């Protein structure tokens, strides 16, 4: 997701992995943290100086207890924002 979407996202939003548009793997945002510092993003392979770290509870594709994971906002896309 782009920076504007990442700033807007709140816990309760539904997201998916950005690299696979047809993936059935969607998740619920549980928490959002801001992080600064240069880091190469996992899926983009670009160096970014800021990001939000989102804690996601994935609905499909993984078994417990690994369903809850932390991901960079740059690696995700929003399906639906929380109200």
């Amino acid at each position: 997701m782009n920076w504007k979407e990442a700033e807007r996202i709140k816990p309760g939003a539904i997201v998916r992995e950005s690299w696979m548009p047809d993936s059935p793997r969607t998740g619920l945002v549980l928490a959002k943290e801001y992080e600064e510092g240069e880091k190469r993003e996992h899926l983009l392979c670009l160096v970014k100086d800021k990001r939000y770290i989102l804690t996601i509870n994935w609905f499909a594709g993984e078994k417990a207890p690994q369903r809850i994971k932390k991901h960079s906002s740059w690696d995700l896309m929003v399906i639906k924002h929380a109200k």
Side-chain angles (χ1 to χ4, degrees):
M1 75 182 71
N2 62 34
W3 188 249
K4 185 177 178 180
E5 290 288 321
E7 287 183 314
R8 187 174 160 219
I9 200 162
K10 296 178 185 172
I14 305 295
V15 295
R16 69 170 175 83
E17 295 172 316
S18 61
W19 60 276
M20 195 169 165
D22 295 334
S23 173
R25 188 170 183 221
T26 58
L28 177 71
V29 177
L30 300 177
K32 173 181 162 181
E33 303 168 34
Y34 178 73
E35 182 180 275
E36 280 190 21
E38 284 192 5
K39 180 182 170 190
R40 184 171 302 277
E41 296 301 327
H42 177 67
L43 295 177
L44 291 177
C45 295
L46 298 173
V47 176
K48 298 288 186 178
D49 60 346
K50 58 185 177 180
R51 72 202 50 75
Y52 283 100
I53 302 298
L54 303 174
T55 304
I56 310 294
N57 182 14
W58 295 105
F59 297 139
E62 292 196 29
K63 297 178 182 174
Q66 298 176 356
R67 283 187 0 180
I68 297 176
K69 291 188 177 179
K70 291 188 177 191
H71 294 273
S72 170
S73 57
W74 297 105
D75 295 339
L76 302 167
M77 289 192 79
V78 177
I79 294 175
K80 185 174 181 180
H81 280 282
K83 296 211 178 203

